[in-house]
Amino acid sequence: MKKLFTFALALVAFMGVAKAATVDDLEVLKHSYVLVCDELGARPGSGVLFGANHFLDLKGGTTATNKGSVDLSVAGGNEGYVTEEIAAKYGEDYAGPHYNWLRLKNQQDMIALKLTAKSKIIIFEQGNNKTGKDARIPRISTDPGQSNSLNPAPGEDHPATVSGYRWEFTVDDDGLYYLGSYNGDMFVSFIIIEANEAPGTPTVKVGDQTYEGGLWFREVSCKANDMVEEGGAEPVPTVVTYTTDGSAPTAASPLYTAPIKCYANQTVKFQAFMDFGDHQPNDDLICDGADNEANVNFVFDAPTINAEGGHVTITSPYEGARNYVTLDGNLNSAEEQSDFTLEESATVTAFSKIFNGTYATFETKSVSKDVYVLNPIKEKKLITVSGNAVVDAEATAADQNGNTIYMIENGAITADKKDFFVKNLTFKALANADEANAKYQVPAGQEAYIQMSNTNITFQVAEGDSVNVHVICSKNACKNIDAADAEDGSQVNDRKCYVNVSGTNYCLKDAEGNETNDLKLYPEANEFTFGLPAGTYTFQKYSGTGNILISSIEITPVAAAPAETETVLWEGEALVNGWGDQPQFLSDGGAELLAAGGKVGDRLRFYASAPDNTWQVEVFDGHWGGMRGRFSGLPMTNEDGSVRESTVVDLAAQGYFDFVMTEEFFTAATTAAGWGGTFLLNGDGNLTVTKVSLVQGGASSIQNIQTINRQSNVIYNLAGQKVDANYRGVVIVNGKKMLQK
């Protein structure tokens, strides 16, 4: 196994793909069947059979657990949609709440199934409480495009499709049917098929998967039903025989008397015979067509992949399970392994084998996880794109608008796998031959671009570090560069350029922090920079469009802030009381600040204490260009009536407070003749100031956090590094910690 984790790994993994099922693979639903949707565990996926191979998920889709639930055992429940008949028939076997879990969306999600004539379909669902013509109800048809819908669309008087709404429909003929939805999303808890079964057909049920005595098993139970012929004949009791090898039962087969324990995936078949009192099967008394079967399948959850750095462990919740791992996605090449160390980043795929004595060996579902073995970015890294645009003859021939379609040959990027983990990389062309696209090429003449459709490029920023990410996109990297102008002249969403990094969208912003990313109104919006603190980040698809094309990505570490230094400007013990004592910490503010090396962005630190240690101090850039401190009260205002910016600090917790010198403050302090720095207390109470220092470098320790949507001053991250308006996280602006979104 060792060699598996030491050879050079390809960045783009080969994925082993099983052949998708088709409608030809469907098993006919000859007998009644109840599909409990939320017991599937996961959406089957496009081209996957489920429900004992009676259902085919044609297009895949999603699930939900927030759409309410249905309990078939509660007659009158779900606003009366669970009838007494339903509760009597299904309540005992399917008691308890089950989520409206499986999503069906019109023209998007589709299930195929094969039914016999006169079969009734009963569906319990939640249709987002829509009513009238907007009601979201099942739609059944004989074609996947649903052009031949068998049930009508909802009308004006249709009731609301609440949680547990019941819909019923009976098909006339044997055949293939397609199940979708009218109007929009609906979420299904139960799909019940009541087949038009032959008289005397036994009822069959497969029990839960159970572990006992070191073995897994499922019990198959059968209930004999009376033989009732048309025309009012008296019902005749039946007895049932069975087989466990998939063959058709006869009178010579074992007589069913108790639940059958199954320890492997298998098919158990049953046959009914009329019983006139001797309780023995007789071939002459066979009930024609009264057969049934139980498809017994075992399903086990995938193991868990844990990774710490490159060290990977695989754990299974099942006793005695053996774990198997592959790095190329091909399950057929998986090797047994539970603990190993990767030398390079990779997508680890794992599954387990469960050994059920001598009866069977089961394989669990598989699970995948990206494991990163990366060097944090410590120097400038540049990702560029190369490749040649050529005509895609097949796509061009199929284009209904007569467009020439280009694709990229020899597409590649410059990304060291020690710095970046790249997977599912795709490229798109802006070809020179297409004059309409040439004007969007950046730089001029570049044909190949990273297409942010399913791209993943992952990198790491070390703890305590930060980086600036500079992205250049094509000039039409938006949903629709030709979208019409807004009547009010504002930006148009379809013309906006974003990149998504780990779920956060970034774009060009102005000095005030406002988005300026409409590529028609702001032609430079295809190029922008944003900052990122420590962490692991992945470039991925921006959900608003599939047409973001990246020309290059440049990642530059931000130099760390110098260590904090502190120069004492004044020491003493001054009791500040109301408008009383004023400690003058600088006799000639401008000269002393300059002599101490003070500059814009440095902090004046006031060491102070309140006698009862309960006060908070707010610090203002005062009217004189000096300092003003106060206790709680009305905020100080400027001469024009606007509220002064303030910083709040809890002295009891910190013992000092900082004031970051703005350009306005510093200019006033160094130009006003004879200016002296003073500290005033505004309001009731008292405060003792003991020292005033000039603090340079490092990061501000001011503790209050606010949320801002704009910025007009210099911004620092918590490491004291200057960042720009695109930086996301806690920042320091004018000495205040703020959360910049």
Side-chain angles (χ1 to χ4, degrees):
M1 187 64 180
K2 182 178 180 182
K3 66 177 182 179
L4 183 61
F5 304 101
T6 56
F7 59 66
L9 300 173
L11 290 179
V12 181
F14 165 78
M15 296 299 293
V17 180
K19 180 183 177 182
T22 69
V23 293
D24 293 334
D25 300 311
L26 280 167
E27 298 286 346
V28 178
L29 267 162
K30 298 185 297 182
H31 304 289
S32 297
Y33 190 92
V34 178
L35 179 72
V36 187
C37 294
D38 65 359
E39 290 184 355
L40 294 175
R43 181 82 189 214
S46 178
V48 177
L49 292 168
F50 63 103
N53 296 334
H54 292 308
F55 301 85
L56 174 63
D57 191 346
L58 288 175
K59 298 186 178 181
T62 59
T63 62
T65 57
N66 62 342
K67 299 297 181 178
S69 61
V70 177
D71 188 342
L72 295 185
S73 68
V74 181
N78 293 96
E79 301 194 16
Y81 284 112
V82 178
T83 63
E84 290 187 5
E85 180 186 8
I86 290 286
K89 188 180 293 187
Y90 302 106
E92 181 179 351
D93 291 335
Y94 304 100
H98 288 273
Y99 288 122
N100 295 302
W101 179 86
L102 184 68
R103 188 191 77 161
L104 290 179
K105 184 174 184 178
N106 65 313
Q107 303 303 315
Q108 182 168 323
D109 302 324
M110 191 78 62
I111 292 173
L113 62 165
K114 290 179 179 178
L115 304 176
T116 58
K118 306 305 178 184
S119 291
K120 177 193 270 189
I121 308 171
I122 303 173
I123 292 180
F124 283 88
E125 53 116 335
Q126 197 260 53
N128 288 327
N129 300 311
K130 299 295 183 180
T131 188
K133 289 186 175 181
D134 295 326
R136 296 177 179 180
I137 65 171
R139 182 180 188 180
I140 190 163
S141 63
T142 55
D143 67 292
Q146 296 203 314
S147 60
N148 182 24
S149 297
L150 301 181
N151 63 306
E156 292 285 1
D157 58 350
H158 197 284
T161 47
V162 296
S163 178
Y165 174 77
R166 187 185 77 256
W167 174 86
E168 300 180 4
F169 184 82
T170 301
V171 300
D172 291 331
D173 304 307
D174 294 349
L176 174 63
Y177 294 91
Y178 296 88
L179 184 65
S181 168
Y182 274 114
N183 294 324
D185 290 3
M186 53 174 275
F187 298 84
V188 178
S189 53
F190 290 94
I191 301 178
I192 302 173
I193 308 298
E194 293 185 344
N196 184 26
E197 296 175 322
T201 299
T203 301
V204 175
K205 181 184 176 183
V206 180
D208 294 335
Q209 194 166 295
T210 304
Y211 186 72
E212 185 177 281
L215 293 173
W216 290 93
F217 67 89
R218 302 187 75 171
E219 281 192 344
V220 177
S221 58
C222 176
K223 182 177 71 173
N225 293 312
D226 290 347
M227 169 78 170
V228 181
E229 295 183 337
E230 294 184 10
E234 288 294 321
V236 178
T238 63
V239 292
V240 178
T241 63
Y242 70 93
T243 60
T244 57
D245 60 2
S247 62
T250 67
S253 301
L255 182 67
Y256 176 82
T257 58
I260 303 162
K261 283 188 176 180
C262 297
Y263 297 91
N265 295 335
Q266 63 191 96
T267 298
V268 183
K269 292 190 174 183
F270 300 87
Q271 175 64 55
F273 298 82
M274 288 183 283
D275 176 17
F276 288 104
D278 62 357
H279 310 304
Q280 294 299 315
N282 187 313
D283 282 333
D284 294 332
L285 299 177
I286 191 169
C287 300
D288 291 336
D291 60 293
N292 206 339
E293 64 183 42
N295 292 297
V296 180
N297 292 288
F298 289 81
V299 179
F300 295 90
D301 293 331
T304 300
I305 301 175
N306 299 291
E308 185 173 346
H311 183 227
V312 181
T313 56
I314 314 295
T315 57
S316 171
Y318 306 109
E319 182 179 338
R322 297 181 187 175
N323 303 313
Y324 292 79
V325 176
T326 178
L327 302 184
D328 63 5
N330 184 359
L331 299 181
N332 293 325
S333 67
E335 299 182 32
E336 185 178 350
Q337 186 75 313
S338 294
D339 191 305
F340 53 89
T341 300
L342 290 174
E343 295 183 356
E344 297 173 0
S345 301
T347 298
V348 176
T349 300
F351 65 93
S352 303
K353 291 183 179 181
I354 313 295
F355 298 88
N356 207 32
T358 59
Y359 294 101
T361 298
F362 304 112
E363 288 191 5
T364 71
K365 301 174 183 177
S366 63
V367 63
S368 296
K369 182 183 180 70
D370 290 337
V371 179
Y372 305 122
V373 184
L374 296 170
N375 296 326
I377 302 297
K378 290 294 186 181
E379 59 186 32
K380 182 183 292 186
K381 300 291 181 181
L382 178 63
I383 294 176
T384 58
V385 186
S386 61
N388 304 313
V390 297
V391 174
D392 186 336
E394 184 175 341
T396 298
D399 188 84
Q400 298 179 352
N401 298 317
N403 297 316
T404 301
I405 310 299
Y406 294 88
M407 63 180 182
I408 293 297
E409 279 188 343
N410 303 317
I413 63 172
T414 55
D416 190 323
K417 59 188 175 185
K418 294 181 180 179
D419 301 315
F420 299 96
F421 178 49
V422 182
K423 56 180 285 190
N424 300 329
L425 196 65
T426 57
F427 299 95
K428 190 170 182 178
L430 286 181
N432 270 332
D434 189 338
E435 295 182 2
N437 282 331
K439 61 185 177 182
Y440 299 128
Q441 293 174 340
V442 179
Q446 179 167 334
E447 297 180 340
Y449 296 80
I450 302 171
Q451 183 178 18
M452 299 305 294
S453 56
N454 60 356
T455 304
N456 290 271
I457 301 174
T458 301
F459 62 95
Q460 288 185 344
V461 181
E463 189 68 32
D465 290 349
S466 62
V467 298
N468 284 328
V469 181
H470 182 68
V471 178
I472 301 178
C473 303
S474 69
K475 286 284 189 179
N476 63 343
C478 61
K479 188 172 184 179
N480 180 14
I481 190 68
D482 297 319
D485 294 343
E487 292 185 1
D488 60 0
S490 61
Q491 297 192 91
V492 177
N493 285 333
D494 283 1
R495 302 193 310 228
K496 291 184 176 181
C497 177
Y498 294 95
V499 295
N500 183 295
V501 179
S502 296
T504 299
N505 295 329
Y506 297 92
C507 63
L508 183 67
K509 294 188 175 184
D510 61 19
E512 298 296 313
N514 301 308
E515 292 187 0
T516 52
N517 55 338
D518 182 324
L519 285 168
K520 187 173 181 181
L521 297 181
Y522 302 95
E524 71 281 7
N526 67 302
E527 182 174 351
F528 49 92
T529 301
F530 51 93
L532 295 172
T536 300
Y537 298 96
T538 299
F539 276 86
Q540 56 196 45
K541 178 182 178 181
Y542 164 57
S543 61
T545 177
N547 196 37
I548 300 298
L549 305 178
I550 292 182
S551 172
S552 63
I553 302 170
E554 184 179 79
I555 302 177
T556 306
V558 177
E564 184 177 275
T565 60
E566 185 173 355
T567 303
V568 176
L569 301 177
W570 175 88
E571 265 189 296
E573 187 169 323
L575 179 66
V576 183
N577 188 348
W579 291 95
D581 299 330
Q582 302 173 15
Q584 184 163 318
F585 56 88
L586 295 175
S587 59
D588 187 352
E592 292 184 52
L593 280 176
L594 291 173
K599 59 186 180 299
V600 174
D602 290 341
R603 285 160 281 152
L604 293 175
R605 177 168 293 174
F606 292 79
Y607 291 88
S609 62
D612 56 8
N613 278 334
T614 60
W615 298 106
Q616 287 188 331
V617 174
E618 296 193 28
V619 182
F620 297 87
D621 184 353
H623 291 291
W624 302 273
M627 291 294 303
R628 180 173 293 260
R630 70 174 181 84
F631 292 118
S632 58
L634 296 175
M636 181 173 289
T637 58
N638 296 314
E639 293 177 358
D640 63 2
S642 60
V643 177
R644 282 281 185 185
E645 292 287 339
S646 65
T647 295
V648 181
V649 65
D650 183 356
L651 285 176
Q654 187 161 291
Y656 65 84
F657 55 91
D658 284 350
F659 172 75
V660 178
M661 294 186 292
T662 64
E663 185 174 355
E664 177 188 13
F665 168 83
F666 194 82
T667 300
T670 56
T671 57
W675 180 88
T678 61
F679 179 82
L680 301 178
L681 181 66
N682 177 13
D684 296 330
N686 52 64
L687 179 76
T688 300
V689 178
T690 58
K691 183 169 63 174
V692 181
S693 299
L694 174 67
V695 179
Q696 298 173 294
S700 172
S701 57
I702 296 173
Q703 294 179 344
N704 66 305
I705 297 178
Q706 301 175 11
T707 298
I708 60 173
N709 294 317
R710 62 189 298 271
Q711 116 239 359
S712 57
N713 299 290
V714 178
I715 302 177
Y716 300 89
N717 62 19
L718 291 182
Q721 302 157 341
K722 184 177 178 181
V723 295
D724 65 12
N726 288 296
Y727 187 88
R728 296 292 178 264
V730 178
V731 296
I732 300 170
V733 183
N734 284 342
K736 293 177 295 182
K737 280 186 181 178
M738 299 179 178
L739 180 62
Q740 184 163 267
K741 295 182 176 180

